[in-house]
Amino acid sequence: MTRRLLMIALACCFFVSTLRAQEPKRGKQLPSLYLIGDSISMQYTYELSKDLQGHYKFERKNGPETPSLDIPGGSNGGDSRMVLGYLKQKYADPNFHPDILLVNAGLHDIKRNPKTNEIVITPEKYAQNLADIDSLAREHHAKLIWINTTPINDARHNKPGMGFFRYNADVQQYNKIAQTVLGDKGVSIIDLYSFTVSHDADAHRVDHAHYDKAMQILQGDYIAASLLHAQ
């Protein structure tokens, strides 16, 4: 077994043992958790929801799926502006009142036009959208937990013919914005960026942005462990 595979195996054992050490809640109502995020969140959802069984009532944004993981819609929440708009619509329904709002948005915000280099959501607008999401959660007495954005390999992503470019420098900048806007307000931030980098992100890529099943399991376990530790 290579050193990389050994590290992955040890990480899996650690997170699974952490989760199993947490006794499921019995005899009382589980706290509700609602996830909205990009395609990365779609891919770790199965493992995350499985890990949280008996601890949280888990739901996420769903709907008719789009033909590509790159296109927002269905389970894919898209950029922070789309997330904010969707949550405003959800909160118009009095039956929507999750205890925890788990949000993972950023990859669609940093899309750039290959010809003009124009970014979809500017840093200033990203900061405002995050502040508005936080205010919306507080207004409705939900605890916001943020998941930051996963890394990008510039050379692998930005090839000729790609409809949009992304840069890891933007990922890092937008993650810092989230830390400033949300972290400084006491919002918990799950550092999925550093976790993914530390587990050899590029070795697990299956395309320009997404990961194989092994990484999806690791990410789901890590997020679940972070949530359970915070209980």
Side-chain angles (χ1 to χ4, degrees):
M1 180 180 287
T2 65
R3 182 179 179 185
R4 179 175 64 82
L5 291 176
L6 178 60
M7 290 176 63
I8 292 170
L10 290 173
C12 284
C13 289
F14 171 77
F15 288 118
V16 170
S17 64
T18 300
L19 295 170
R20 288 176 178 170
Q22 299 280 340
E23 286 295 327
K25 295 179 175 62
R26 294 182 177 88
K28 68 176 184 178
Q29 186 174 356
L30 298 178
S32 56
L33 182 148
Y34 190 86
L35 168 64
I36 179 170
D38 53 31
S39 56
I40 301 298
S41 80
M42 293 165 61
Q43 295 192 312
Y44 61 63
T45 285
Y46 174 76
E47 190 69 17
L48 174 61
S49 62
K50 181 166 64 74
D51 289 342
L52 295 181
Q53 286 180 5
H55 300 278
Y56 289 97
K57 179 184 176 183
F58 179 91
E59 291 185 79
R60 70 155 295 134
K61 181 183 187 293
N62 284 307
E65 301 302 345
T66 59
S68 168
L69 290 173
D70 291 327
I71 302 174
S75 299
N76 191 334
D79 61 47
S80 60
R81 180 189 66 246
M82 296 175 182
V83 168
L84 177 60
Y86 179 81
L87 289 174
K88 286 180 177 178
Q89 291 180 351
K90 289 292 287 183
Y91 274 120
D93 179 357
N95 295 316
F96 182 74
H97 45 76
D99 298 305
I100 293 177
L101 198 56
L102 186 62
V103 183
N104 187 182
L107 277 179
H108 290 276
D109 295 79
I110 64 166
K111 288 179 176 177
R112 288 185 179 270
N113 185 308
K115 295 180 179 179
T116 66
N117 203 41
E118 182 181 6
I119 199 163
V120 170
I121 302 292
T122 64
E124 295 77 17
K125 188 59 180 174
Y126 187 67
Q128 186 60 59
N129 289 340
L130 268 56
D132 290 345
I133 291 170
D134 178 55
S135 295
L136 188 64
R138 292 176 189 273
E139 177 186 347
H140 292 277
H141 310 290
K143 178 181 180 182
L144 176 64
I145 298 179
W146 191 263
I147 301 172
N148 68 12
T149 301
T150 46
I152 287 295
N153 181 312
D154 294 8
R156 184 160 182 172
H157 190 293
N158 302 326
K159 295 180 178 179
M162 190 68 183
F164 56 89
F165 286 174
R166 290 188 180 109
Y167 297 95
N168 202 57
D170 289 329
V171 173
Q172 293 174 321
Q173 179 186 7
Y174 281 48
N175 282 343
K176 288 180 180 178
I177 290 171
Q179 182 62 53
T180 299
V181 173
L182 300 176
D184 290 356
K185 292 183 178 181
V187 174
S188 296
I189 296 178
I190 297 176
D191 189 5
L192 192 60
Y193 177 93
S194 296
F195 176 83
T196 304
V197 168
S198 71
H199 287 78
D200 203 355
D202 288 336
H204 292 279
R205 293 190 188 278
V206 295
D207 60 14
H208 57 286
H210 305 99
Y211 300 99
D212 61 20
K213 189 64 176 179
M215 180 59 81
Q216 293 169 29
I217 291 171
L218 284 171
Q219 290 175 334
D221 285 347
Y222 170 66
I223 295 167
S226 299
L227 291 167
L228 293 174
H229 279 307
Q231 280 189 327

